[in-house]
Every structure is written in C-alpha cells, then in structure tokens.
Amino acid sequence: MTTETGVDKTPKDIDRTQDRGQYVVCAVCVAVGIFLIVDALRIADGFAKVDPVGPRLFPMVIGVVLIVLSVILAIAIPRGSKGEADAGEDIDPTMKSDWRTVGLLIALFVAVIVLVNPLGWTIAGGLFFAGTATVLGSKHYVRNVVIGAVLGVLSFYAFYSGLGIPLPAGILDGIL
C-alpha cells in the first residue's frame, strides 16, 4: 500500500485499532432490525385496505436493510475501516463522554412516555422540548418553556390535522 508521500506501508504498519463501540452499534442495529421485522409480521392485514403494498412492506424492508448494513459494518471493523471525521466537526474525540447529559436526556424520554397519556402530547411534548434545550445548555428558561409550548401545540395540530393521526390530548381534552 502506498501513502500520499509515496512511502510503501506494509499491512503490519497500518493502524488496526478497533473501536469496540462500533460493535455495540452493530448489535443495536441488528436488534432494531429484528424488532421491526417481527413487529411488522404482527400487523393485521385489514389495517390499511386502500394500500396496495400493505403496511408490512416498509418496516420489513427497513429491518432487513438494518441487519444487512450491520453485518457489513461488523465485517469492515476488524479490517480497519473507520469513518472519517467531517472537516467542520468541532468536537474533541479525546474528551470523555458527558454521561450526566446522556442520563438526563434518557430521563426526559422516559418522562414523556409516562406523562403523554395523562397530561397529553401538548404539555408532555412542550416540557420535553423545553427540558431538552435546558439539558443541552440553554440558560434561557422562560424562552425554553415558551418555545416548547409552541412546538408542542404546533406538532399536535400537525399530526392531528395535517396527518390525521390523533395524539393524546390529556387534560386539555375538549380545549384543543
């Protein structure tokens, strides 16, 4: 193998360090792919009578593609394949992960799951948007809540009116 400077590199000189996190990504993608396929097989045929393709096709295709791409990645990892950083990335790959932020974001996701039925999407989504902005570093708390409330209402009506998908109204049932 010849480098840009014209110096030959033997395979033993090539950096073969592996990021074990890539294998975790492969495992998660395979699990999600299997879940999509199994879940798609459970969809009843009469769910969408006007769709000539059926409701199962796209989740199954996405599941199969996820599994295939995971296998390809798992084969490429030990061969030294690494993604190149974008030229515009402004992160330091040597810094430690901020597990506090990750934990808080996971807690916000769990809170939305728990609160969406009793409070409704508008309130739970608004709190989620505001909380996410705050956790990610915004110090404008009032603005976070206002923008979260606007996004909650807009997304509620975008799904309800635009797509015909009813989201839980919760305690605002009858008002929205």
Side-chain angles (χ1 to χ4, degrees):
M1 175 185 278
T2 305
T3 63
E4 293 173 3
T5 59
V7 177
D8 286 337
K9 281 187 141 185
T10 61
K12 67 179 181 176
D13 296 330
I14 298 172
D15 182 23
R16 296 279 187 189
T17 58
Q18 299 172 14
D19 180 10
R20 297 198 197 302
Q22 292 184 57
Y23 288 113
V24 174
V25 170
C26 291
V28 169
C29 286
V30 166
V32 170
I34 291 171
F35 171 78
L36 285 172
I37 293 169
V38 170
D39 203 39
L41 291 173
R42 294 183 190 166
I43 297 175
D45 288 331
F47 183 73
K49 295 179 182 179
V50 296
D51 188 3
V53 178
R56 295 180 183 166
L57 178 69
F58 289 108
M60 290 182 71
V61 167
I62 292 170
V64 169
V65 168
L66 267 173
I67 293 170
V68 169
L69 290 176
S70 298
V71 169
I72 292 170
L73 179 60
I75 292 170
I77 293 168
R79 294 181 177 190
S81 177
K82 290 183 180 180
E84 293 184 23
D86 289 336
E89 283 192 37
D90 59 347
I91 61 167
D92 183 6
T94 61
M95 286 187 60
K96 298 278 186 194
S97 297
D98 184 6
W99 291 110
R100 178 183 176 274
T101 301
V102 172
L104 289 171
L105 290 173
I106 291 171
L108 285 169
F109 276 112
V110 171
V112 166
I113 292 169
V114 171
L115 296 175
V116 73
N117 279 331
L119 294 181
W121 169 253
T122 307
I123 295 173
L127 291 173
F128 175 72
F129 293 134
T132 301
T134 303
V135 167
L136 293 177
S138 174
K139 301 294 184 202
H140 304 281
Y141 306 117
V142 174
R143 184 171 58 186
N144 293 349
V145 171
V146 169
I147 291 173
V150 169
L151 287 174
V153 171
L154 287 177
S155 60
F156 178 84
Y157 282 113
F159 275 87
Y160 189 77
S161 299
L163 298 174
I165 300 172
L167 295 175
I171 59 176
L172 297 178
D173 193 21
I175 297 172
L176 294 175

